[in-house]
Amino acid sequence: AERNQVAKTEDLRRRIGELVRKPNAVRFINDFDGFLTMLSHAQQQRQVQRLIATEFQVAFADRDSAACREAIQTSLGVARLSRADPFLVSHLVNVACHGIAMMDVQRAIEYDVFNEQDLKAVWEMIANDELSIQRLPWMIQGERAFGLSVIEDPTKFEGMLDSTRQVYMMWVG
């Protein structure tokens, strides 16, 4: 019975590993300036993701299976925060956050941190997670709609751009 349980756990590890290493997975360093993109909430989402990644690193170093699972679950939640936002930058931040969560999963599996219960829970999270890449056409439509409104009447955005420029200059100046 124990041998059968070990085989099931190994199979689950293998399936999660295959899912995490999909060829369409996005893996990149997510450096951008939220002030330049005028989406400060995307910058805040990125900062929260960094804090959660640090929490995962501590749990990983302690080999704490439950804490690693919780950090990954929270990380996937952050990746879903602004998925209804019709801006491409928000979409890219969501994809980057999802990529960080997947790298954490991969790392925890490679070093055999998860116990069987947490491994099953992580599998359920990943298997049922909606990939934000499926929302890409909608995000591009949102960007296009925003761009068309700027072309239609550029004067209605002048005040917003001036205030954004002032905030940016306060930060860099």
Side-chain angles (χ1 to χ4, degrees):
E2 187 176 324
R3 191 178 283 179
N4 188 22
Q5 193 63 34
V6 169
K8 285 181 183 179
T9 302
E10 288 301 318
D11 182 55
L12 191 54
R13 279 195 184 101
R14 183 191 53 76
R15 288 189 300 166
I16 291 175
E18 288 171 2
L19 189 60
V20 169
R21 289 187 293 271
K22 279 187 175 179
N24 63 349
V26 177
R27 309 262 191 257
F28 58 89
I29 298 171
N30 56 340
D31 280 334
F32 77 98
D33 190 337
F35 288 103
L36 289 176
T37 60
M38 296 182 294
L39 292 172
S40 59
H41 67 279
Q43 181 70 9
Q44 292 167 351
Q45 183 179 354
R46 182 173 169 253
Q47 290 170 343
V48 169
Q49 183 64 37
R50 282 183 169 173
L51 292 171
I52 294 166
T54 303
E55 184 179 323
F56 172 82
Q57 289 171 0
V58 170
F60 179 81
D62 291 343
R63 300 190 59 79
D64 185 340
S65 177
C68 283
R69 175 189 40 79
E70 289 170 5
I72 289 167
Q73 183 176 12
T74 306
S75 189
L76 289 171
V78 169
R80 291 188 297 268
L81 276 177
S82 59
R83 66 180 171 184
D85 233 359
F87 296 109
L88 189 58
V89 171
S90 294
H91 174 71
L92 294 175
V93 170
N94 289 340
V95 169
C97 290
H98 193 271
I100 290 169
M102 293 300 102
M103 285 188 281
D104 289 346
V105 169
Q106 184 176 358
R107 186 172 174 207
I109 288 173
E110 287 173 354
Y111 287 89
D112 197 27
V113 172
F114 293 126
N115 62 34
E116 185 179 341
Q117 179 183 357
D118 291 327
L119 187 65
K120 286 179 183 177
V122 168
W123 167 251
E124 290 296 321
M125 283 184 259
I126 294 172
N128 296 322
D129 195 40
E130 177 188 333
L131 296 176
S132 59
I133 199 76
Q134 297 164 345
R135 295 183 170 273
L136 185 59
W138 184 69
M139 298 296 170
I140 291 173
Q141 290 170 6
E143 289 290 321
R144 185 171 181 203
F146 182 74
L148 289 174
S149 63
V150 171
I151 291 169
E152 182 181 280
D153 184 12
T155 60
K156 65 182 174 183
F157 293 96
E158 286 177 2
M160 181 179 74
L161 292 175
D162 289 340
S163 65
T164 302
R165 212 172 280 118
Q166 288 172 356
V167 170
Y168 175 71
M169 293 311 290
M170 285 174 19
W171 278 88
V172 298

